[in-house]
Amino acid sequence: MSKLRHVETLTSAPVVGQRYLVPTVLYPWFGSTEAWPVMGPKHTDAEHIGFDVPHFHVDVRFLSDAQVRRIERRRNFGDIESIAAGYPLATSHTGSEAEPHPEPVFRRLTCRRPGHGYPRHAAGARQGLRALAAAYAGRKCGRNGAGLLVCPHKGFVLGSLEPDAERRVVCPLHGLVVDVATGSVVGGGACAEAA
Ligand code: FES
């Protein structure tokens, strides 16, 4: 029986080249319907960011090289982290009918690239990200049942992120910066202080 770790139970960054259980959603993204690795819960971002379409965020750590090539062929600017941050896996439509996202399915996927640094130039919603950072400044993260820090914004479990030298992690969903020693939000906005 496999002993693969579920990526949301990790207490350090996934190791490139090793396999993990990763949530995936079979859904169209950049014109290709396939099982995309996702992270965090499905949500909307009407508040602060002004994007009220239900969406997941793609976990670039677990995209295959072929998936990255398919995406980059269709968006010939920026790196894959910037593309993923700026273009979530949002509800698409067939005619006027919204196609609901299926429930995530866990798959055994290899970590292909190191963790997230929220790209400074990723989102057209930078003003919204700054408003989000201001609204959440000083807020405390909760902890899940396993004791891992959970981002107070939309509930991303922060355990699989590698802290920087100042013991900070940047939530890959919308760029809030968390001091893992205190569990408090200390920055964000996808700008200099978030690096
Ligand atoms: S879930 Fe939005 S910044 Fe963490």
Side-chain angles (χ1 to χ4, degrees):
M1 196 63 184
S2 170
K3 295 289 186 188
L4 294 185
R5 297 281 307 275
H6 181 321
V7 68
E8 287 189 1
T9 69
L10 297 179
T11 55
S12 58
V15 176
V16 174
Q18 291 193 5
R19 298 219 298 170
Y20 299 88
L21 286 176
V22 179
T24 65
V25 172
L26 182 65
Y27 204 72
W29 195 48
F30 285 100
S32 181
T33 300
E34 53 191 285
W36 298 104
V38 298
M39 55 186 178
K42 184 167 72 172
H43 62 277
T44 64
D45 286 314
E47 192 182 29
H48 305 301
I49 297 172
F51 185 62
D52 63 359
V53 180
H55 61 277
F56 287 95
H57 288 257
V58 170
D59 191 337
V60 300
R61 298 172 297 185
F62 294 96
L63 287 171
S64 71
D65 293 341
Q67 286 177 319
V68 170
R69 282 196 296 276
R70 279 197 285 283
I71 296 305
E72 289 181 336
R73 268 201 297 272
R74 285 175 165 261
R75 301 289 331 174
N76 59 354
F77 67 88
D79 53 70
I80 190 64
E81 290 199 346
S82 300
I83 294 171
Y87 297 90
L89 193 64
T91 300
S92 63
H93 290 75
T94 304
S96 60
E97 292 292 313
E99 289 187 36
H101 294 91
E103 287 299 311
V105 171
F106 289 93
R107 294 175 188 268
R108 295 169 168 79
L109 297 181
T110 301
C111 180
R112 301 283 179 187
R113 51 198 62 79
H116 300 273
Y118 195 86
R120 296 179 192 187
H121 53 289
R126 184 169 295 180
Q127 195 175 341
L129 295 176
R130 289 197 181 113
L132 174 71
Y136 279 76
R139 286 214 204 170
K140 287 276 191 187
C141 293
R143 290 190 183 269
N144 67 8
L148 298 175
L149 290 172
V150 177
C151 180
H153 180 219
K154 296 293 179 181
F156 179 75
V157 179
L158 300 167
S160 69
L161 304 178
E162 198 63 40
D164 67 12
E166 297 180 316
R167 305 288 298 156
R168 295 176 172 192
V169 295
V170 182
C171 182
L173 269 58
H174 314 97
L176 289 181
V177 182
V178 170
D179 181 329
V180 297
T182 64
S184 295
V185 174
V186 295
C191 50
E193 70 270 21

